[in-house]
Amino acid sequence: MFGMRTIALRKLSTLSTRYLPFADVASAEVPLSRLLRLSLFQVTVGMALVLLVGTLNRVMIVELSVPASLVAGMLALPLLFAPLRMLIGFKSDTHVSALGLRRTPYIWKGTLYQFGGFAIMPFALLVLSGYGEAIDAPRWIGLSSAALAFLLVGAGVHMVQTVGLALATDLVPEGDQPKVVGLMYVMLLLGMVVSALIYGALLENYSPGRLIQVIQATAVLTVALNLTALWKQEARDRARAQQMLETPKVTFAAACSSLMANAGTKRLLIVIGLGTFGFGMADVLLEPYGGQVLGLSVASTTKLTALLAAGTLAGFGLASRRLGAGGDPVTLGRIGAAIGIPGFAAIILASMGGGTALFLAGTLLTGFGAGLFGHATLTASIRNAPRNQIGLALGAWGAVQATCAGIGIALAGVVRDVLAGYGNGPAGLQIQTPYNMVFGIEILFLGMAVLAAVPLRMLLSNRADPTLSDAQHNTVEVT
Amino acid sequence: MSDDPDKVWPTGLNLREAEEVHSYLIDGTRVFGVIALLAHILVAISTPWLG
């Protein structure tokens, strides 16, 4: 009897750790298949972004006839959370856990928020639009529940992306980081492109039931993909758990000022902000520009997005190769921003008699520059971060990047809507003039990014050996 | 097998670790519970059942 019990228990104890989502040992070599699996969290981020910015934007205005200004306000809500990425990253850096985990709990929480937001979103939207009996319900219920849904999804996306990137950085040695950054960007792009196609096809024939199905399927898929990505990635570590208990508490403000005290960090963030803003406005404006100004058909303007994405992919690829071979990320980022300038110039010239071929070449070039710039600046942020502040550094990157990209997209949307209001343009103002002004502003911002990046290489390379300065930093923190 | 009184068998985790795993379960249940409640309320507002 007792023998049976012992045998059963021993069997269970060998089985059970296989069913816990933590790795038992931290392996030095992380195989590509595991990194690919980890990068699935970027697919869910891409899905959420497309659903919020693209699909629901249209569905709410066209099918649910919610006022456009209200839709814009709702969709801007997640942007408010972007600066909180720094806090999330910091908390994951200094998390105290008996299991020695730092990133896993936050990715799990972020996944919960993403799921929760998507789970209530379709019903919140239906109540907001006054579907069925909801027409008699008080207005604040629809408003507050829709706002809550968007806030939850936004908070979840910020958490998952920030902490997920930090986990990926933890897992791989310094030399492989450019490859991982490239992989993460490619998966984000892939998630966005594929889910945009799928959402478009699924919501072709809109019905309230279909909306519920699509959004809730997204919720389930998000949890499934994030759990697959997270499974057995971070090692259970009793030594680190002990260390977590003994490390003195650092306040958020102190950690921030210690990060900003590193030479070049602030300037790098400025460059990232300027460049992201410059590239960010293009996405939304290229299609209406091609249609209204150059007279391209709807089908061929859709191919523009594919062309832009192809250029971006080529940029990621080149950046991965060059940085993996020991290239300097700051120089490469500056080249990326600089490539965007002739790209936008070609797009402007296309309306001044340059023709469609010039426009397509400009689009491809802009995508290429954006890919190069995005990859190189994220790699620079990671390399510049002290090993114990990776979460915070990636939080700062994400806060600047998401805020500037969001403002860029919102501004571009405003410009586009104002133009759509003009119809064929007011007297004395040609249709392409406002577009070209925006593209001119983008060139200006990219130029500023290039200039701001000039002294950056000197500042960052002053920390000649990154591993050495990390070690110094660690000793300072511990003592 | 049971020489370490701090270990929770059969998982091999110690007490603090087991409690942490448990806390994730509890938190998850609470969040899912609140979400389900909210979703039901919203559905009941737009398409009421039971009356």
Side-chain angles (χ1 to χ4, degrees):
Chain A
M1 187 69 189
F2 188 68
M4 288 293 280
R5 190 166 168 264
T6 318
I7 291 166
L9 277 182
R10 189 163 293 151
K11 263 248 148 57
L12 268 176
S13 65
T14 53
L15 268 180
S16 53
T17 43
R18 278 177 54 199
Y19 297 104
L20 285 177
F22 330 112
D24 279 321
V25 280
S27 52
E29 277 292 300
V30 181
L32 184 67
S33 59
R34 208 173 122 191
L35 286 175
L36 267 174
R37 193 158 58 80
L38 177 61
S39 66
L40 283 177
F41 77 84
Q42 283 283 58
V43 175
T44 72
V45 170
M47 271 175 9
L49 287 179
V50 165
L51 195 64
L52 292 192
V53 179
T55 314
L56 284 183
N57 196 1
R58 183 187 68 96
V59 168
M60 283 168 83
I61 294 176
V62 179
E63 271 95 4
L64 296 174
S65 39
V66 178
S69 53
L70 187 59
V71 173
M74 288 283 175
L75 295 179
L77 279 177
L79 211 59
L80 294 179
F81 265 112
L84 285 183
R85 279 185 179 223
M86 277 187 84
L87 186 64
I88 295 165
F90 167 74
K91 289 196 81 152
S92 80
D93 280 341
T94 55
H95 188 67
V96 175
S97 153
L99 292 159
L101 302 173
R102 288 189 297 179
R103 317 295 187 194
T104 311
Y106 289 91
I107 302 183
W108 168 238
K109 270 182 211 165
T111 308
L112 270 186
Y113 292 151
Q114 258 178 305
F115 174 87
F118 281 135
I120 59 172
M121 188 176 285
F123 309 118
L125 293 183
L126 290 179
V127 171
L128 182 70
S129 70
Y131 172 76
E133 305 286 322
I135 197 85
D136 300 325
R139 187 101 178 102
W140 64 267
I141 296 181
L143 284 175
S144 55
S145 54
L148 180 70
F150 283 113
L151 275 179
L152 280 175
V153 173
V157 164
H158 289 315
M159 275 177 104
V160 167
Q161 196 178 31
T162 306
V163 183
L165 286 175
L167 176 57
T169 313
D170 286 347
L171 285 180
V172 297
E174 182 133 348
D176 284 342
Q177 279 166 2
K179 274 186 235 157
V180 171
V181 171
L183 186 65
M184 294 293 154
Y185 260 122
V186 168
M187 290 304 260
L188 179 66
L189 196 66
L190 202 71
M192 290 176 77
V193 170
V194 171
S195 55
L197 291 177
I198 294 178
Y199 286 138
L202 286 179
L203 286 171
E204 189 90 51
N205 299 314
Y206 170 83
S207 72
R210 182 50 73 80
L211 180 70
I212 296 172
Q213 284 175 334
V214 167
I215 300 183
Q216 298 218 317
T218 309
V220 173
L221 206 59
T222 299
V223 172
L225 288 180
N226 279 355
L227 281 186
T228 314
L230 198 56
W231 196 259
K232 297 236 186 254
Q233 296 282 6
E234 195 171 23
R236 197 148 59 95
D237 189 343
R238 287 203 171 130
R240 194 163 69 194
Q242 201 55 40
Q243 208 185 328
M244 281 171 172
L245 278 178
E246 286 158 5
T247 339
K249 289 269 168 290
V250 193
T251 62
F252 179 53
C256 279
S257 57
S258 129
L259 180 72
M260 293 304 168
N262 289 339
T265 303
K266 239 184 248 171
R267 188 171 277 272
L268 181 62
L269 289 176
I270 293 173
V271 171
I272 292 171
L274 291 172
T276 311
F277 183 77
F279 281 119
M281 293 174 83
D283 269 1
V284 192
L285 283 184
L286 283 177
E287 285 195 28
Y289 180 77
Q292 282 188 318
V293 178
L294 298 173
L296 299 177
S297 69
V298 177
S300 53
T301 52
T302 320
K303 284 184 193 133
L304 274 181
T305 315
L307 198 63
L308 192 68
T312 312
L313 271 181
F316 293 154
L318 182 70
S320 281
R321 275 185 58 156
R322 293 297 298 274
L323 295 175
D328 173 44
V330 174
T331 313
L332 210 60
R334 208 169 68 219
I335 293 172
I339 286 178
I341 296 176
F344 283 118
I347 292 173
I348 292 179
L349 285 177
S351 70
M352 299 174 175
T356 312
L358 200 57
F359 176 56
L360 296 181
T363 304
L364 192 66
L365 210 56
T366 310
F368 184 68
L372 217 54
F373 179 81
H375 189 308
T377 47
L378 178 53
T379 308
S381 301
I382 288 177
R383 285 211 180 145
N384 194 32
R387 204 71 192 171
N388 57 349
Q389 285 193 318
I390 283 171
L392 182 65
L394 282 169
W397 168 84
V400 170
Q401 197 263 352
T403 308
C404 291
I407 294 175
I409 290 172
L411 271 185
V414 168
V415 171
R416 188 188 52 186
D417 292 349
V418 167
L419 288 177
Y422 275 132
N424 282 327
L429 186 65
Q430 283 174 303
I431 184 74
Q432 70 263 32
T433 314
Y435 280 111
N436 287 345
M437 272 167 61
V438 175
F439 290 135
I441 294 172
E442 300 196 49
I443 291 182
L444 194 69
F445 270 89
L446 290 179
M448 290 201 297
V450 172
L451 287 182
V454 170
L456 191 57
R457 195 176 169 199
M458 290 267 291
L459 283 172
L460 292 185
S461 60
N462 277 346
R463 301 158 23 103
D465 186 349
T467 46
L468 185 68
S469 53
D470 278 2
Q472 284 167 348
H473 196 90
N474 281 336
T475 46
V476 171
E477 285 285 309
V478 169
T479 46
Chain B
M1 189 159 86
S2 49
D3 48 355
D4 185 351
D6 205 29
K7 288 271 170 77
V8 182
W9 293 104
T11 54
L13 302 172
N14 67 31
L15 201 58
R16 273 187 349 105
E17 290 169 343
E19 276 174 357
E20 188 174 311
V21 173
H22 183 59
S23 77
Y24 295 136
L25 187 72
I26 295 292
D27 281 348
T29 312
R30 281 185 187 142
V31 173
F32 278 124
V34 172
I35 296 290
L37 192 69
L38 255 175
H40 277 81
I41 292 172
L42 288 170
V43 174
I45 288 173
S46 58
T47 49
W49 65 90
L50 293 182

